[in-house]
Amino acid sequence: MRRSALLTVCLAVFVDMLGFGIILPLLPFHTQDLGGTGIWVGALLTSYAAAQFVAAPVLGSLSDRFGRRPVLITALLGSAISLALTGVAGTLATLLLARVVAGAFGGAIAIGQAYVSDFTVGKARTQALGMIGASIGMGFVFGPAIGALLADLGFAGVSFVAAGVALANAILGYFLLPRTTPAAAGAPARRGGGNPLTALRHALGNATLRPLLLVIFAFTFAFVGMEATFALLGAERFGLDARALGLVFAGIGIMMAIVQGGLVGRLSGSFGNRKVAIAGALLLAAGLVILPFVSPWVGYPALGLLAVGQGLLTTTTSALIAEEGGAELGGAFGVSQSASALARALGPLAAGALYDVKIPLPYLLGAALALLAAALLVSRRRGGTAPATPAETGQPATAS
């Protein structure tokens, strides 16, 4: 039953990311068609991250109180609505509204992470969270590729296809997602639980969660800074055109999926999540330091270091969050997704500004942040206060 539940949740997250990724290749061009400039493209991407920053802790906390299944299905339906709204958007303001709606319902990742954590513990939990990460990565690999293939349908047509995929995902989830009740379901809401800023402040006040949230912010900021500027660096230093850049990013996504889907669970079982996370941070830092100074033949291995480091970090920090989340596991994952969303909103802006000053600067800043993440992980001590989950006690999650 647990394996079936895991595969179902992974499928739901994969298809959700697939639908989101389908429209990405065409979004900047549609923005230009509506009269938008580069700042509008940036605003559309930032609005999604900003809305996710606000909404993710709320959705996560709701899944603690009412169960993962209904909240995840609601998030999947919200994705379908946002994609349909994107398809009919005839003005920049409407398109911006669609991206805000998409971000507001973009909590499927946090809920999916909490979902699989309800069924697993220890090495099995890290492997399950790695599969969630691999599902996300593969959704972003295949989504843009499908969007490019469907480009002849026009932006509206591609958006409606993506909306149909998202709606089918929600319907499939309704029939296949297992009914579980997390430990906090039905419990009174924590004071300020509906306020994402209060939830974030509460998490930052937790001595065991705070360093993990800072680690997540730091390495995500570092990685998205590379994502935001590598197209420029790749064209200038490596002579890559748009097609080659697409292949490079697809390769990064596939490598991360391989790491998260298989390698990280084995390493975690042998060395523990914290040590593997430290190794991931060091690999990420090394790749960022090397990348802006070398030829393509050295640059591609550096990108490999980046991909492996990011894959190790993403999964193991999620597993460490699960260790400390306790009965409010959904809320903890929601706040961690907020930390990631904040980094995704700020990272590209800072990296772009630094790149204009001197090309290596965003990469060196990213490396410094990755080293900061490693230092925080080295100094971190597990609080050991998180209540046992049903999986840890050997008891199955109860039916809702």
Side-chain angles (χ1 to χ4, degrees), residues 14-119:
F14 167 73
V15 177
D16 189 48
M17 294 300 103
L18 185 73
F20 174 78
I22 285 174
I23 69 167
L24 286 183
L26 303 180
L27 185 61
F29 302 105
H30 185 61
T31 303
Q32 290 179 333
D33 290 341
L34 293 177
T37 59
I39 193 170
W40 268 100
V41 175
L44 291 171
L45 297 176
T46 300
S47 65
Y48 176 91
Q52 191 177 63
F53 169 78
V54 173
V58 176
L59 292 175
S61 295
L62 289 174
S63 79
D64 286 330
R65 295 183 62 198
F66 302 110
R68 315 289 184 216
R69 181 176 177 274
V71 181
L72 181 54
I73 292 172
T74 300
L76 298 178
L77 284 173
S79 294
I81 292 170
S82 72
L83 289 166
L85 183 59
T86 300
V88 300
T91 65
L92 290 170
T94 312
L95 189 59
L96 182 65
L97 173 63
R99 302 314 300 150
V100 170
V101 173
F105 286 100
I109 295 173
I111 302 169
Q113 289 172 324
Y115 221 142
V116 301
S117 296
D118 292 336
F119 287 99

Side-chain angles (χ1 to χ4, degrees), residues 134-182:
S135 300
I136 296 166
M138 296 312 294
F140 277 114
V141 169
F142 289 109
I146 293 173
L149 290 174
L150 298 176
D152 289 342
L153 296 177
F155 183 77
V158 171
S159 297
F160 292 140
V161 169
V165 169
L167 179 60
N169 191 28
I171 294 171
L172 190 67
Y174 178 82
F175 289 105
L176 295 183
L177 285 171
R179 298 176 182 271
T180 66
T181 302

Side-chain angles (χ1 to χ4, degrees), residues 119-223:
F119 287 99
T120 54
V121 66
K123 177 182 176 181
R125 174 179 283 172
T126 303
Q127 290 175 329
L129 290 168
M131 290 183 65
I132 290 289
S135 300
I136 296 166
M138 296 312 294
F140 277 114
V141 169
F142 289 109
I146 293 173
L149 290 174
L150 298 176
D152 289 342
L153 296 177
F155 183 77
V158 171
S159 297
F160 292 140
V161 169
V165 169
L167 179 60
N169 191 28
I171 294 171
L172 190 67
Y174 178 82
F175 289 105
L176 295 183
L177 285 171
R179 298 176 182 271
T180 66
T181 302
R190 185 178 61 201
R191 183 180 300 176
N195 185 330
L197 294 179
T198 301
L200 184 61
R201 187 166 60 248
H202 180 274
L204 288 173
N206 184 319
T208 56
L209 282 177
R210 181 173 60 247
L212 290 176
L213 297 176
L214 294 175
V215 165
I216 290 169
F217 176 85
F219 77 74
T220 303
F221 194 107
F223 191 78

Side-chain angles (χ1 to χ4, degrees), residues 242-269:
R243 178 182 176 85
L245 285 167
L247 292 174
V248 167
F249 279 117
I252 292 173
I254 291 171
M255 184 171 291
M256 288 176 59
I258 292 172
V259 170
Q260 292 177 295
L263 179 63
V264 68
R266 295 185 179 90
L267 291 174
S268 175

